[in-house]
Short mmCIF file of all heavy atoms in Angstrom, two decimals:
data_model
loop_
_atom_site.label_atom_id
_atom_site.label_comp_id
_atom_site.label_asym_id
_atom_site.label_seq_id
_atom_site.Cartn_x
_atom_site.Cartn_y
_atom_site.Cartn_z
N MET W 1 0.83 -1.24 -0.06
CA MET W 1 -0.01 -0.01 0.00
C MET W 1 0.83 1.23 -0.03
O MET W 1 1.84 1.31 0.74
CB MET W 1 -0.90 0.01 1.24
CG MET W 1 -1.84 1.17 1.37
SD MET W 1 -3.22 0.86 2.59
CE MET W 1 -2.80 2.10 3.74
N SER W 2 0.57 2.20 -0.82
CA SER W 2 1.33 3.47 -0.88
C SER W 2 0.36 4.56 -0.73
O SER W 2 -0.74 4.46 -1.32
CB SER W 2 2.20 3.60 -2.06
OG SER W 2 1.35 3.64 -3.29
N CYS W 3 0.69 5.69 -0.14
CA CYS W 3 -0.29 6.72 0.07
C CYS W 3 0.40 8.10 -0.13
O CYS W 3 1.55 8.31 0.11
CB CYS W 3 -0.76 6.80 1.54
SG CYS W 3 -1.64 5.26 2.06
N PHE W 4 -0.47 8.98 -0.72
CA PHE W 4 -0.12 10.48 -0.77
C PHE W 4 -0.93 11.14 0.28
O PHE W 4 -2.15 11.10 0.30
CB PHE W 4 -0.43 10.97 -2.18
CG PHE W 4 -0.28 12.46 -2.39
CD1 PHE W 4 0.99 13.03 -2.41
CD2 PHE W 4 -1.28 13.35 -2.32
CE1 PHE W 4 1.27 14.33 -2.55
CE2 PHE W 4 -1.12 14.78 -2.35
CZ PHE W 4 0.17 15.17 -2.38
N VAL W 5 -0.18 11.77 1.25
CA VAL W 5 -0.89 12.32 2.39
C VAL W 5 -0.70 13.79 2.38
O VAL W 5 0.42 14.36 2.29
CB VAL W 5 -0.25 11.72 3.65
CG1 VAL W 5 -0.93 12.26 4.93
CG2 VAL W 5 -0.35 10.19 3.63
N THR W 6 -1.82 14.56 2.64
CA THR W 6 -1.80 15.95 2.94
C THR W 6 -2.23 16.16 4.39
O THR W 6 -2.29 15.17 5.15
CB THR W 6 -2.69 16.75 1.99
OG1 THR W 6 -4.10 16.34 2.29
CG2 THR W 6 -2.41 16.46 0.49
N GLU W 7 -2.50 17.39 4.79
CA GLU W 7 -2.73 17.59 6.20
C GLU W 7 -4.09 16.95 6.70
O GLU W 7 -4.21 16.44 7.71
CB GLU W 7 -2.84 19.08 6.42
CG GLU W 7 -3.03 19.48 7.89
CD GLU W 7 -3.08 20.99 8.15
OE1 GLU W 7 -2.56 21.82 7.26
OE2 GLU W 7 -3.50 21.38 9.14
N LYS W 8 -5.02 16.90 5.80
CA LYS W 8 -6.43 16.38 6.20
C LYS W 8 -6.80 15.12 5.35
O LYS W 8 -7.76 14.37 5.90
CB LYS W 8 -7.42 17.51 5.95
CG LYS W 8 -7.26 18.76 6.68
CD LYS W 8 -7.64 18.64 8.20
CE LYS W 8 -7.50 19.88 8.77
NZ LYS W 8 -7.57 19.84 10.24
N LYS W 9 -6.21 14.76 4.30
CA LYS W 9 -6.60 13.72 3.50
C LYS W 9 -5.40 12.82 2.99
O LYS W 9 -4.31 13.36 2.90
CB LYS W 9 -7.45 14.13 2.30
CG LYS W 9 -8.79 14.62 2.68
CD LYS W 9 -9.71 14.62 1.48
CE LYS W 9 -11.15 15.00 1.92
NZ LYS W 9 -12.04 14.73 0.78
N ALA W 10 -5.68 11.63 2.66
CA ALA W 10 -4.71 10.63 2.16
C ALA W 10 -5.39 9.95 0.96
O ALA W 10 -6.49 9.58 1.07
CB ALA W 10 -4.19 9.76 3.20
N VAL W 11 -4.64 9.74 -0.16
CA VAL W 11 -5.11 8.84 -1.13
C VAL W 11 -4.19 7.74 -1.29
O VAL W 11 -2.90 7.96 -1.40
CB VAL W 11 -5.17 9.62 -2.52
CG1 VAL W 11 -5.55 8.81 -3.63
CG2 VAL W 11 -6.16 10.83 -2.35
N CYS W 12 -4.62 6.54 -1.17
CA CYS W 12 -3.77 5.38 -1.10
C CYS W 12 -4.07 4.46 -2.25
O CYS W 12 -5.27 4.26 -2.68
CB CYS W 12 -3.93 4.61 0.24
SG CYS W 12 -3.61 5.61 1.67
N ARG W 13 -3.07 3.86 -2.77
CA ARG W 13 -3.10 2.80 -3.75
C ARG W 13 -2.79 1.43 -3.20
O ARG W 13 -1.80 1.21 -2.57
CB ARG W 13 -2.12 3.06 -4.94
CG ARG W 13 -2.14 2.10 -5.96
CD ARG W 13 -1.06 2.32 -7.00
NE ARG W 13 -1.49 3.54 -7.80
CZ ARG W 13 -1.80 3.56 -8.95
NH1 ARG W 13 -1.80 2.47 -9.72
NH2 ARG W 13 -2.27 4.70 -9.60
N VAL W 14 -3.82 0.57 -3.36
CA VAL W 14 -3.64 -0.83 -2.91
C VAL W 14 -3.80 -1.71 -4.18
O VAL W 14 -4.81 -1.88 -4.75
CB VAL W 14 -4.69 -1.23 -1.92
CG1 VAL W 14 -4.43 -2.67 -1.38
CG2 VAL W 14 -4.65 -0.26 -0.73
N GLY W 15 -2.67 -2.13 -4.74
CA GLY W 15 -2.56 -2.77 -5.96
C GLY W 15 -3.10 -1.92 -7.07
O GLY W 15 -2.54 -0.83 -7.29
N GLU W 16 -4.16 -2.25 -7.83
CA GLU W 16 -4.70 -1.37 -8.84
C GLU W 16 -5.83 -0.52 -8.35
O GLU W 16 -6.34 0.31 -9.04
CB GLU W 16 -5.19 -2.24 -9.99
CG GLU W 16 -4.11 -3.05 -10.71
CD GLU W 16 -3.09 -2.17 -11.40
OE1 GLU W 16 -3.53 -1.25 -12.08
OE2 GLU W 16 -1.94 -2.45 -11.19
N LYS W 17 -6.15 -0.58 -7.09
CA LYS W 17 -7.27 0.22 -6.61
C LYS W 17 -6.83 1.39 -5.81
O LYS W 17 -5.76 1.39 -5.22
CB LYS W 17 -8.12 -0.67 -5.60
CG LYS W 17 -8.49 -1.95 -6.20
CD LYS W 17 -10.03 -2.08 -6.24
CE LYS W 17 -10.40 -3.40 -6.84
NZ LYS W 17 -11.74 -3.43 -7.40
N MET W 18 -7.66 2.40 -5.82
CA MET W 18 -7.37 3.75 -5.11
C MET W 18 -8.45 3.90 -4.04
O MET W 18 -9.59 3.61 -4.22
CB MET W 18 -7.37 4.86 -6.05
CG MET W 18 -6.36 4.88 -7.17
SD MET W 18 -4.68 4.95 -6.56
CE MET W 18 -4.55 6.72 -6.27
N ALA W 19 -8.05 4.40 -2.85
CA ALA W 19 -8.94 4.75 -1.87
C ALA W 19 -8.59 6.08 -1.18
O ALA W 19 -7.44 6.31 -0.96
CB ALA W 19 -9.02 3.56 -0.75
N ALA W 20 -9.59 6.80 -0.79
CA ALA W 20 -9.37 8.13 -0.05
C ALA W 20 -9.63 8.00 1.47
O ALA W 20 -10.66 7.24 1.88
CB ALA W 20 -10.27 9.21 -0.67
N PHE W 21 -8.88 8.60 2.25
CA PHE W 21 -8.99 8.51 3.68
C PHE W 21 -8.96 9.95 4.27
O PHE W 21 -8.25 10.83 3.78
CB PHE W 21 -7.88 7.75 4.30
CG PHE W 21 -7.84 6.33 3.90
CD1 PHE W 21 -7.30 5.88 2.70
CD2 PHE W 21 -8.36 5.32 4.73
CE1 PHE W 21 -7.18 4.56 2.30
CE2 PHE W 21 -8.37 3.98 4.33
CZ PHE W 21 -7.70 3.55 3.12
N TYR W 22 -9.59 10.18 5.50
CA TYR W 22 -9.39 11.38 6.29
C TYR W 22 -8.27 11.03 7.18
O TYR W 22 -8.13 9.92 7.68
CB TYR W 22 -10.66 11.63 7.07
CG TYR W 22 -11.81 11.95 6.21
CD1 TYR W 22 -12.91 11.00 6.15
CD2 TYR W 22 -11.95 13.07 5.55
CE1 TYR W 22 -14.06 11.31 5.36
CE2 TYR W 22 -13.07 13.42 4.76
CZ TYR W 22 -14.14 12.51 4.67
OH TYR W 22 -15.22 12.74 4.00
N VAL W 23 -7.45 12.07 7.45
CA VAL W 23 -6.25 11.93 8.37
C VAL W 23 -6.54 12.61 9.74
O VAL W 23 -7.02 13.79 9.68
CB VAL W 23 -5.02 12.57 7.70
CG1 VAL W 23 -3.78 12.49 8.71
CG2 VAL W 23 -4.63 11.89 6.39
N PHE W 24 -6.40 11.81 10.81
CA PHE W 24 -6.59 12.43 12.12
C PHE W 24 -5.30 12.28 12.92
O PHE W 24 -4.79 11.23 13.13
CB PHE W 24 -7.74 11.73 12.88
CG PHE W 24 -9.13 11.93 12.18
CD1 PHE W 24 -9.47 11.02 11.14
CD2 PHE W 24 -9.91 12.94 12.55
CE1 PHE W 24 -10.80 11.22 10.54
CE2 PHE W 24 -11.12 13.19 11.94
CZ PHE W 24 -11.55 12.28 10.98
N ASP W 25 -4.82 13.46 13.35
CA ASP W 25 -3.59 13.47 14.25
C ASP W 25 -4.05 13.62 15.74
O ASP W 25 -4.58 14.68 16.12
CB ASP W 25 -2.72 14.67 13.84
CG ASP W 25 -1.37 14.69 14.62
OD1 ASP W 25 -1.11 13.74 15.30
OD2 ASP W 25 -0.63 15.61 14.38
N THR W 26 -3.94 12.55 16.50
CA THR W 26 -4.44 12.52 17.83
C THR W 26 -3.26 12.41 18.85
O THR W 26 -2.12 12.02 18.38
CB THR W 26 -5.44 11.31 18.01
OG1 THR W 26 -4.63 10.07 18.08
CG2 THR W 26 -6.49 11.29 17.01
N PRO W 27 -3.43 12.60 20.10
CA PRO W 27 -2.47 12.41 21.03
C PRO W 27 -1.87 11.02 21.03
O PRO W 27 -0.69 10.69 21.47
CB PRO W 27 -2.94 12.76 22.38
CG PRO W 27 -4.13 13.66 22.01
CD PRO W 27 -4.68 13.27 20.68
N GLN W 28 -2.67 10.01 20.70
CA GLN W 28 -2.30 8.63 20.67
C GLN W 28 -1.55 8.20 19.31
O GLN W 28 -0.96 7.16 19.28
CB GLN W 28 -3.47 7.72 20.84
CG GLN W 28 -4.16 7.81 22.21
CD GLN W 28 -5.07 9.03 22.31
OE1 GLN W 28 -5.64 9.49 21.42
NE2 GLN W 28 -5.06 9.50 23.58
N GLY W 29 -1.61 8.99 18.40
CA GLY W 29 -0.95 8.74 17.11
C GLY W 29 -1.75 9.22 15.95
O GLY W 29 -2.74 10.01 16.04
N VAL W 30 -1.35 8.90 14.67
CA VAL W 30 -1.95 9.34 13.46
C VAL W 30 -2.81 8.24 12.86
O VAL W 30 -2.37 7.10 12.84
CB VAL W 30 -0.99 9.86 12.38
CG1 VAL W 30 -1.68 10.25 11.15
CG2 VAL W 30 -0.08 10.94 12.93
N TYR W 31 -4.08 8.50 12.60
CA TYR W 31 -5.10 7.56 12.16
C TYR W 31 -5.59 7.91 10.74
O TYR W 31 -5.72 9.12 10.50
CB TYR W 31 -6.19 7.42 13.02
CG TYR W 31 -5.83 6.73 14.40
CD1 TYR W 31 -5.28 7.51 15.49
CD2 TYR W 31 -6.03 5.44 14.63
CE1 TYR W 31 -4.97 6.96 16.65
CE2 TYR W 31 -5.72 4.80 15.88
CZ TYR W 31 -5.16 5.60 16.88
OH TYR W 31 -4.87 5.04 18.08
N LEU W 32 -6.02 6.93 9.95
CA LEU W 32 -6.68 6.99 8.71
C LEU W 32 -8.12 6.51 8.88
O LEU W 32 -8.23 5.42 9.49
CB LEU W 32 -6.03 6.36 7.52
CG LEU W 32 -4.57 6.76 7.15
CD1 LEU W 32 -4.11 6.00 6.06
CD2 LEU W 32 -4.54 8.28 6.83
N LYS W 33 -9.14 7.23 8.41
CA LYS W 33 -10.48 6.78 8.44
C LYS W 33 -10.93 6.83 7.01
O LYS W 33 -10.94 7.88 6.35
CB LYS W 33 -11.35 7.72 9.31
CG LYS W 33 -12.77 7.14 9.40
CD LYS W 33 -13.58 8.03 10.35
CE LYS W 33 -15.08 7.50 10.30
NZ LYS W 33 -15.91 8.45 11.06
N PRO W 34 -11.48 5.67 6.43
CA PRO W 34 -11.87 5.67 5.08
C PRO W 34 -13.01 6.62 4.84
O PRO W 34 -13.93 6.82 5.66
CB PRO W 34 -12.37 4.23 4.86
CG PRO W 34 -11.77 3.44 5.97
CD PRO W 34 -11.58 4.40 7.16
N GLU W 35 -13.03 7.28 3.65
CA GLU W 35 -14.10 8.23 3.25
C GLU W 35 -15.37 7.37 3.01
O GLU W 35 -16.43 7.81 3.35
CB GLU W 35 -13.78 8.96 1.99
CG GLU W 35 -12.88 10.14 2.30
CD GLU W 35 -12.67 11.00 0.97
OE1 GLU W 35 -13.13 10.61 -0.08
OE2 GLU W 35 -12.18 12.19 1.24
N ILE W 36 -15.29 6.27 2.53
CA ILE W 36 -16.33 5.29 2.27
C ILE W 36 -16.15 4.16 3.34
O ILE W 36 -15.04 3.83 3.73
CB ILE W 36 -16.43 4.75 0.86
CG1 ILE W 36 -15.13 4.00 0.46
CG2 ILE W 36 -16.76 5.86 -0.11
CD1 ILE W 36 -15.25 3.16 -0.87
N LYS W 37 -17.22 3.57 3.67
CA LYS W 37 -17.11 2.62 4.83
C LYS W 37 -16.49 1.29 4.28
O LYS W 37 -17.23 0.41 3.67
CB LYS W 37 -18.58 2.35 5.41
CG LYS W 37 -18.48 1.51 6.64
CD LYS W 37 -19.72 1.61 7.38
CE LYS W 37 -19.53 0.81 8.68
NZ LYS W 37 -20.54 1.17 9.66
N LEU W 38 -15.20 1.08 4.52
CA LEU W 38 -14.62 -0.22 4.25
C LEU W 38 -14.48 -1.02 5.45
O LEU W 38 -14.56 -2.26 5.35
CB LEU W 38 -13.12 0.14 3.71
CG LEU W 38 -12.98 1.00 2.49
CD1 LEU W 38 -11.57 1.32 2.11
CD2 LEU W 38 -13.68 0.28 1.27
N VAL W 39 -14.08 -0.36 6.60
CA VAL W 39 -13.99 -1.08 7.83
C VAL W 39 -14.62 -0.23 8.93
O VAL W 39 -14.78 1.01 8.68
CB VAL W 39 -12.50 -1.33 8.17
CG1 VAL W 39 -11.86 -2.35 7.23
CG2 VAL W 39 -11.61 -0.10 8.24
N ASP W 40 -14.94 -0.80 10.01
CA ASP W 40 -15.58 -0.08 11.19
C ASP W 40 -14.59 0.74 11.95
O ASP W 40 -14.90 1.71 12.53
CB ASP W 40 -16.30 -0.98 12.07
CG ASP W 40 -17.55 -1.53 11.36
OD1 ASP W 40 -18.10 -0.81 10.47
OD2 ASP W 40 -18.04 -2.63 11.68
N ASP W 41 -13.29 0.29 12.00
CA ASP W 41 -12.30 0.89 12.80
C ASP W 41 -11.45 1.79 12.08
O ASP W 41 -11.31 1.66 10.76
CB ASP W 41 -11.38 -0.12 13.54
CG ASP W 41 -12.20 -1.03 14.48
OD1 ASP W 41 -13.14 -0.49 15.11
OD2 ASP W 41 -11.91 -2.19 14.59
N TRP W 42 -10.75 2.77 12.74
CA TRP W 42 -9.78 3.54 12.16
C TRP W 42 -8.45 2.81 11.93
O TRP W 42 -8.34 1.75 12.70
CB TRP W 42 -9.47 4.79 12.98
CG TRP W 42 -10.61 5.73 13.11
CD1 TRP W 42 -11.90 5.61 12.75
CD2 TRP W 42 -10.52 7.09 13.59
NE1 TRP W 42 -12.64 6.70 13.03
CE2 TRP W 42 -11.81 7.70 13.53
CE3 TRP W 42 -9.49 7.89 14.12
CZ2 TRP W 42 -12.08 8.95 14.03
CZ3 TRP W 42 -9.81 9.16 14.49
CH2 TRP W 42 -11.04 9.71 14.47
N ILE W 43 -7.67 3.17 11.03
CA ILE W 43 -6.36 2.52 10.77
C ILE W 43 -5.30 3.34 11.42
O ILE W 43 -5.04 4.42 10.96
CB ILE W 43 -6.13 2.25 9.32
CG1 ILE W 43 -7.32 1.53 8.75
CG2 ILE W 43 -4.84 1.66 9.06
CD1 ILE W 43 -7.40 1.48 7.23
N LYS W 44 -4.51 2.80 12.34
CA LYS W 44 -3.41 3.63 12.93
C LYS W 44 -2.23 3.42 12.14
O LYS W 44 -1.81 2.31 11.72
CB LYS W 44 -3.06 3.01 14.41
CG LYS W 44 -2.04 3.86 15.13
CD LYS W 44 -2.05 3.52 16.59
CE LYS W 44 -1.23 4.47 17.33
NZ LYS W 44 -1.19 4.23 18.69
N VAL W 45 -1.56 4.53 11.71
CA VAL W 45 -0.49 4.59 10.70
C VAL W 45 0.79 5.08 11.28
O VAL W 45 1.84 4.83 10.79
CB VAL W 45 -0.89 5.35 9.48
CG1 VAL W 45 -2.01 4.74 8.73
CG2 VAL W 45 -1.20 6.79 9.81
N ALA W 46 0.64 5.75 12.49
CA ALA W 46 1.93 6.28 13.15
C ALA W 46 1.77 6.33 14.62
O ALA W 46 0.64 6.50 15.08
CB ALA W 46 2.33 7.63 12.60
N HIS W 47 2.76 6.02 15.27
CA HIS W 47 2.76 5.96 16.84
C HIS W 47 3.52 7.12 17.35
O HIS W 47 4.52 7.53 16.82
CB HIS W 47 3.32 4.67 17.31
CG HIS W 47 3.31 4.45 18.67
ND1 HIS W 47 2.09 4.25 19.41
CD2 HIS W 47 4.25 4.50 19.70
CE1 HIS W 47 2.31 4.09 20.77
NE2 HIS W 47 3.67 4.24 20.89
N ARG W 48 2.94 7.74 18.37
CA ARG W 48 3.66 8.88 19.08
C ARG W 48 4.89 8.39 19.63
O ARG W 48 5.03 7.28 20.14
CB ARG W 48 2.78 9.41 20.15
CG ARG W 48 1.60 10.13 19.64
CD ARG W 48 2.03 11.63 19.24
NE ARG W 48 0.92 12.32 18.60
CZ ARG W 48 1.09 13.10 17.51
NH1 ARG W 48 2.29 13.33 16.98
NH2 ARG W 48 0.04 13.69 17.12
N GLY W 49 6.01 9.16 19.48
CA GLY W 49 7.30 8.80 19.97
C GLY W 49 7.59 9.08 21.40
O GLY W 49 8.76 8.98 21.90
N ASP W 50 6.61 9.61 22.19
CA ASP W 50 6.84 10.07 23.54
C ASP W 50 6.40 9.07 24.59
O ASP W 50 5.95 9.37 25.63
CB ASP W 50 6.13 11.41 23.75
CG ASP W 50 4.63 11.32 23.48
OD1 ASP W 50 4.18 10.26 22.96
OD2 ASP W 50 3.92 12.28 23.73
N ASP W 51 6.65 7.77 24.33
CA ASP W 51 6.31 6.68 25.30
C ASP W 51 7.51 6.65 26.32
O ASP W 51 8.67 6.56 26.07
CB ASP W 51 6.32 5.32 24.60
CG ASP W 51 5.10 5.28 23.70
OD1 ASP W 51 4.19 6.06 23.91
OD2 ASP W 51 4.99 4.32 22.91
N SER W 52 7.11 6.89 27.63
CA SER W 52 8.04 6.84 28.63
C SER W 52 7.54 5.90 29.79
O SER W 52 6.32 5.92 30.02
CB SER W 52 8.41 8.15 29.30
OG SER W 52 8.30 9.25 28.40
#
């Protein structure tokens, strides 16, 4: 999967298919939420580095 990410949206290519996602930067990490309902959960794409 490869994605082009802007501040609020991401467009990802999975094989020959394209999908658009909303980007949410939260205190727990960065998440993608599909614009169309593909899955019920958000997809975590990055983890915050401040674990102590």
Side-chain angles (χ1 to χ4, degrees):
M1 181 165 115
S2 63
C3 298
F4 174 75
V5 181
T6 64
E7 186 177 341
K8 302 280 185 193
K9 288 199 173 191
V11 177
C12 300
R13 175 182 292 248
V14 183
E16 296 297 313
K17 306 245 182 200
M18 299 292 285
F21 296 84
Y22 298 109
V23 177
F24 294 91
D25 187 5
T26 72
Q28 293 78 32
V30 177
Y31 291 82
L32 296 180
K33 182 178 180 188
E35 283 189 346
I36 60 172
K37 189 167 184 158
L38 300 173
V39 293
D40 289 332
D41 296 327
W42 292 15
I43 302 166
K44 189 169 190 175
V45 293
H47 184 70
R48 289 277 175 220
D50 55 353
D51 293 342
S52 332

